[in-house]
Amino acid sequence: MYLDVRELRDFYYRSALGRAAQRQIRSQMLQFWPHADRQNVAGFGFTAPLLRPYINHSRRVVGLMPAQQGVMHAPYNAPNVSVLCEETRWPLETGHIDRLVLMHGLETSERASDLLDECYRVLGPGGELLVIVPNRSGLWAQSDRTPFGYGRPYSRSQLEQFLKDHDFIPQAHVSVLYQPPSSRRFWMKTAPIWERIGRAVPGVSGGVSMMLASKRTPPRRRGLEQKAYVLNPLDVLTPRPSSEPKAI
């Protein structure tokens, strides 16, 4: 079940806890991908807080927001890069994307397997996928005060195996958000300390898992690359006799 885009917007842009979470996640993402010069970057779910650093230097940036969630203009006070789309049929060319990030997409999808297949389709050879999900053993997955308290949380091994099953090769993993999911002043002021302690002490679980994976080429599963099509966003305005996607 996807959260409404207004709830996600209010959390990440209008609450102190959400802004702090946004900074921590984006900071780690930039360690994985410090730049994306002349590359095509896409995000699915609610990735508006993460895409802004790439807008000025990438060839193209697009934020895909599922119809079940809704769409909003993003980034604020700048040309819009957001588009409303079907959950597993994106208006992107096959093999067109170099960097793809998922946040509030995989854990809330009722068709998670098909969603990963769509991620595989749009990524080009050597393309990388960054998946951001609630950590099954973390505090954030146990509380519905934040968007990470909804949907299916994953352990590291579960997420790693799920990606392997869909022809992705896990490259790196890190946990973030070690502070409790509370906006109380004490926890907010000491958040940087909790992050340092959490990353230094083995066995401590952060609230969110971030796993970087690359696309396996060619795929091990037969027929996966045959799912190749391009959706025209204007098709919604023209009745068609069949709902099948157009073949390339």
Side-chain angles (χ1 to χ4, degrees), residues 10-246:
D10 290 347
F11 176 73
Y12 282 107
Y13 294 104
R14 299 180 179 178
S15 74
L17 182 62
R19 289 192 295 270
Q22 175 188 154
R23 286 193 298 270
Q24 288 290 344
I25 295 170
R26 187 172 57 232
S27 174
Q28 179 58 53
M29 183 188 71
L30 289 172
Q31 291 189 42
F32 286 138
W33 299 333
H35 52 77
D37 294 353
R38 296 182 296 279
Q39 293 184 328
N40 294 312
V41 180
F44 175 80
F46 191 79
T47 57
L50 307 180
L51 296 178
R52 182 183 282 272
Y54 303 117
I55 288 176
N56 292 332
H57 304 288
S58 300
R59 180 184 295 119
R60 182 186 182 192
V61 173
V62 57
L64 301 158
M65 296 193 179
Q68 301 95 318
Q69 167 192 288
V71 68
M72 60 174 252
H73 180 107
Y76 175 74
N77 202 26
N80 179 60
V81 301
S82 296
V83 60
L84 191 69
C85 68
E86 295 185 44
E87 181 182 21
T88 59
R89 290 157 59 99
W90 300 348
L92 295 175
E93 298 174 13
T94 297
H96 183 67
I97 300 300
D98 301 297
R99 301 286 183 265
L100 174 63
V101 57
L102 265 61
M103 185 168 76
H104 302 308
L106 188 66
E107 76 273 16
T108 52
S109 174
E110 295 181 358
R111 302 174 60 190
S113 183
D114 292 338
L115 178 58
L116 283 185
D117 285 347
E118 187 70 346
C119 293
Y120 187 94
R121 180 187 73 81
V122 302
L123 281 169
E128 292 185 336
L129 171 67
L130 178 60
V131 182
I132 302 168
V133 293
N135 188 341
R136 186 177 181 182
S137 58
L139 291 176
W140 290 62
Q142 316 305 321
S143 171
D144 59 6
R145 295 181 180 179
T146 83
F148 291 106
Y150 294 84
R152 176 190 172 182
Y154 288 83
S155 66
R156 176 178 179 175
S157 59
Q158 287 174 332
L159 183 57
E160 190 172 85
Q161 187 60 52
F162 197 24
L163 290 171
K164 288 179 179 178
D165 290 344
H166 288 77
D167 283 297
F168 288 100
I169 304 171
Q171 301 287 342
H173 172 270
V174 69
S175 292
V176 296
L177 302 187
Y178 287 90
Q179 72 175 93
S182 170
S183 57
R184 291 179 180 270
R185 186 173 181 179
F186 172 78
W187 298 117
M188 295 297 296
K189 287 188 66 175
T190 58
I193 299 174
W194 291 109
E195 289 294 321
R196 290 196 296 270
I197 293 175
R199 298 193 186 202
V201 178
V204 178
S205 297
V208 171
S209 286
M210 302 177 66
M211 187 166 289
L212 181 68
S214 61
K215 176 178 179 175
R216 181 189 297 273
T217 306
R220 291 181 299 181
R221 291 191 296 161
R222 295 183 60 188
L224 185 58
E225 288 192 327
Q226 295 177 9
K227 184 186 176 186
Y229 53 84
V230 178
L231 293 175
N232 184 348
L234 297 180
D235 280 352
V236 297
L237 303 177
T238 306
R240 298 179 61 191
S242 170
S243 60
E244 291 298 315
K246 296 184 295 184

